[in-house]
Amino acid sequence: AASDVYKRQALASICSVAFTEIRTKQNNAEIGWQLKSEPLKEPVIEPFYAENGTQVFVRNLFYNVPARRKFLKADLTEFRYISETMMRFALSHPEIRFTFYDDNILVFDLKPSNILKRIEEIFGKNIVDNLFEINYTDEFISLSGFVGSPLLAKNNRGNQFLFLNKRTIYSPLLSYAVNSCFENLIDRNQKPFFIINLKIDYSKVD
């Protein structure tokens, strides 16, 4: 599948600029496997007593690319970027457990659930109580998700999430289309809350 190709490309890119470790174990297996990868070296694959599921560890990002590493922001800023990325992964795949640590501090541990439960765990019950579900399907596209009431509008786009085939996308045109629906309901500088999933045939997506 095209999505599997994207995942392999992403992992290959990460492995080229960081120490990467992947641990995986199937539910019915007695032991799992561990892959250790270091840039410019052959990866090592060996048996490992792992938990069920798959864990990916990335350490010393850009350690071998000093020119790229110097463009990293302050630790707090980079943590915010990573946190936002993890949040988007969690929202696009509610059926998967996500555990997020900052060093040894647990930021969140989200168990497999449905999308509404996942939204409540991340944003709180007040958000869920002010959501309207949307669904639309035709021969070309399937659209699903939630739009927040005007009460959830904010002065930034931090609570706007667009997914295409479960991958995060940034589309000013689509965001504007949603924002325009709230034109007479919220202040001009405010942005509505929405989580929208688009599903399109992979062959029709660039």
Side-chain angles (χ1 to χ4, degrees):
S3 61
D4 293 328
V5 173
Y6 296 143
K7 293 172 185 175
R8 290 195 294 269
Q9 290 174 341
L11 280 174
S13 298
I14 292 171
C15 290
S16 69
V17 294
F19 292 102
T20 308
E21 180 181 343
I22 301 176
R23 303 172 184 173
T24 187
K25 177 179 174 294
Q26 295 181 336
N27 290 334
N28 58 352
E30 293 184 5
I31 63 171
W33 293 88
Q34 178 187 57
L35 179 147
K36 290 186 177 180
S37 174
E38 185 178 342
L40 303 179
K41 293 185 179 181
E42 286 294 320
V44 176
I45 301 177
E46 55 191 6
F48 188 83
Y49 287 95
E51 297 181 11
N52 291 339
T54 300
Q55 298 174 298
V56 179
F57 302 87
V58 179
R59 301 181 176 91
N60 296 329
L61 185 62
F62 299 126
Y63 84 98
N64 60 335
V65 191
R68 179 64 182 86
R69 187 179 181 88
K70 73 178 183 179
F71 285 102
L72 292 175
K73 309 295 185 183
D75 288 350
L76 185 60
T77 302
E78 293 296 337
F79 171 80
R80 180 169 57 83
Y81 292 157
I82 295 170
S83 180
E84 290 173 355
T85 299
M86 289 295 298
M87 185 187 302
R88 292 178 184 277
F89 283 153
L91 288 171
S92 61
H93 295 84
E95 75 283 2
I96 296 176
R97 178 185 179 184
F98 285 89
T99 306
F100 178 30
Y101 284 89
D102 178 27
D103 288 329
N104 293 320
I105 300 174
L106 178 64
V107 179
F108 61 66
D109 183 359
L110 302 173
K111 306 294 192 299
S113 61
N114 57 54
I115 183 59
L116 271 179
K117 181 63 176 177
R118 180 61 55 88
I119 293 172
E120 181 179 342
E121 289 176 330
I122 293 176
F123 298 105
K125 191 174 187 305
N126 177 62
I127 296 293
V128 173
D129 290 341
N130 286 280
L131 293 181
F132 299 96
E133 186 172 6
I134 55 175
N135 277 291
Y136 174 80
T137 301
D138 62 24
E139 58 184 308
F140 300 108
I141 189 172
S142 173
L143 182 152
S144 63
F146 300 89
V147 174
S149 76
L151 295 174
L152 302 182
K154 291 188 174 183
N155 293 327
N156 57 65
R157 295 182 175 85
N159 284 341
Q160 296 189 337
F161 303 89
L162 279 173
F163 302 102
L164 176 60
N165 295 337
K166 293 198 170 187
R167 298 184 69 200
T168 293
I169 61 171
Y170 298 92
S171 172
L173 182 62
L174 292 177
S175 296
Y176 176 79
V178 180
N179 294 341
S180 64
C181 296
F182 286 78
E183 184 175 3
N184 298 317
L185 299 175
I186 60 178
D187 292 340
R188 179 178 299 179
N189 295 327
Q190 290 188 311
K191 309 297 179 185
F193 180 104
F194 63 76
I195 299 174
I196 297 178
N197 304 284
L198 306 173
K199 186 176 181 180
I200 303 175
D201 188 326
Y202 281 101
S203 65
K204 294 179 171 58
V205 178
D206 183 357

